[in-house]
Amino acid sequence: MATTGASVQLIRNATILLDVGDTTFLVDPMFTLQGEMPTVTDNPAAPEFLTTANQDRNPLVPLPDGDLTYDAVVVTHRHPDHWDEAAREELDADVPLFCQPEESDAFTDEGFTDVRPVDDETSFEDITVHRTPGQHGHGELAEGMGPVSGFVFEGDETVYVAGDTIWYEPVEETLDQYEPDLVVLNGGEAQFDQGEPITMGVEDVDAVREATDAEIVVVHMEAINHCLLSRDELRAETANVHVPEDGERFSLFQRYVFSPV
């Protein structure tokens, strides 16, 4: 296991700043102010048959204070809690933007001029970026959620950002293939009234913990109305994983979570 370099700062939900070597990636930017986005099921893109018990407007919490500095943007998929209108308006049009091939035209149509779809792997500065599979739920519901991806970043250390996925065989295969030093999981056990969870819950996180010696950071919690698993519940039910608060950062070098100054 490496002991230096890579770190992840949770901004809110799945929005993170990921440092690998001297390069910083902004992953899944969602900048909407608290309460200014519909509930998940009220979003026009949501299937009509889905309902949720919690009808609070999103995001449930504000953005933490502080400016964001980064070299490139990575979008795992275009669901509105990972890519929103506020991000489209705030980001520079010429920022390097890595995405799934299926969604590259949508970013270009929005005016971004340096869209870089990742079919298998690519490079940026001194980092190799691999796109990895994900499954956003179970059965027909997962199919309806559309394509999702994770990404592996290889520099002096290797970081695996799993994206919106449950635990399934390709996640285990990704861990075996890349042997990451740091894994970022989307928790929250997001769930509708219909079907099984569509992001990781306690059992999924435990399965990842059993499958790797990497440090594990769990994000995507307590910010969107269908994410029903709390941080305290996850901390109580799992061991040897890091569950940061919004604005906090975990570093492989320090091996602890700390608040930005």
Side-chain angles (χ1 to χ4, degrees):
M1 295 290 294
T3 57
T4 61
S7 68
V8 57
Q9 181 182 4
L10 171 61
I11 305 305
R12 181 184 60 183
N13 194 47
T15 306
I16 60 173
L17 286 176
L18 176 65
D19 293 325
V20 186
D22 294 327
T23 304
T24 301
F25 297 92
L26 172 64
V27 180
D28 285 352
M30 179 187 68
F31 296 154
T32 300
L33 298 179
Q34 182 179 6
E36 293 192 0
M37 183 184 294
T39 68
V40 169
T41 50
D42 285 340
N43 189 288
E48 292 184 359
F49 69 90
L50 293 177
T51 59
T52 57
N54 181 353
Q55 289 298 307
D56 293 338
R57 287 179 60 85
N58 294 313
L60 304 178
V61 294
L63 282 167
D65 294 333
D67 296 328
L68 305 182
T69 302
Y70 47 88
D71 302 297
V73 173
V74 178
V75 180
T76 62
H77 64 299
R78 286 174 55 89
H79 287 177
D81 61 325
H82 297 255
W83 176 258
D84 64 355
E85 183 177 351
R88 291 194 293 272
E89 293 176 352
E90 182 168 331
L91 297 179
D92 292 337
D94 61 351
V95 65
L97 194 157
F98 297 89
C99 65
Q100 305 180 105
E102 300 93 332
E103 297 179 332
S104 62
D105 288 347
F107 291 108
T108 300
D109 291 345
E110 290 170 345
F112 290 91
T113 60
D114 192 3
V115 179
R116 306 188 188 192
V118 183
D119 185 28
D120 180 24
E121 70 175 56
T122 188
S123 60
F124 181 73
E125 298 184 354
D126 59 347
I127 307 301
T128 302
V129 180
H130 307 267
R131 188 170 65 88
T132 62
Q135 182 176 311
H136 201 354
H138 300 77
E140 293 183 1
L141 183 55
E143 295 177 9
M145 298 301 289
V148 296
S149 295
F151 289 86
V152 169
F153 304 83
E154 286 188 310
D156 291 337
E157 298 84 30
T158 299
V159 182
Y160 172 33
V161 177
D164 271 7
T165 185
I166 59 170
W167 168 258
Y168 76 133
E169 187 173 349
V171 172
E172 184 174 17
E173 292 170 350
T174 298
L175 294 169
D176 290 342
Q177 178 178 353
Y178 294 104
E179 298 182 340
D181 301 287
L182 175 62
V183 176
V184 182
L185 302 177
N186 286 356
E189 202 168 38
Q191 189 166 10
F192 302 101
D193 295 330
Q194 301 78 18
E196 298 178 75
I198 60 174
T199 62
M200 290 195 177
V202 172
E203 292 184 0
D204 303 87
V205 173
D206 282 343
V208 176
R209 178 70 287 163
E210 290 293 322
T212 180
D213 292 330
E215 299 287 342
I216 296 175
V217 174
V218 184
V219 300
H220 197 275
M221 304 191 74
E222 300 182 354
I224 300 297
N225 73 290
H226 69 329
C227 290
L228 305 181
L229 177 67
S230 73
R231 289 182 172 102
D232 285 345
E233 289 170 329
L234 181 61
R235 290 169 181 146
E237 296 294 332
T238 59
N240 299 319
V241 301
H242 308 280
V243 188
E245 299 293 330
D246 293 347
E248 291 183 331
R249 180 162 66 95
F250 173 80
S251 169
L252 283 178
F253 180 69
Q254 275 94 4
R255 286 293 199 271
Y256 61 82
V257 175
F258 60 94
S259 299
V261 295

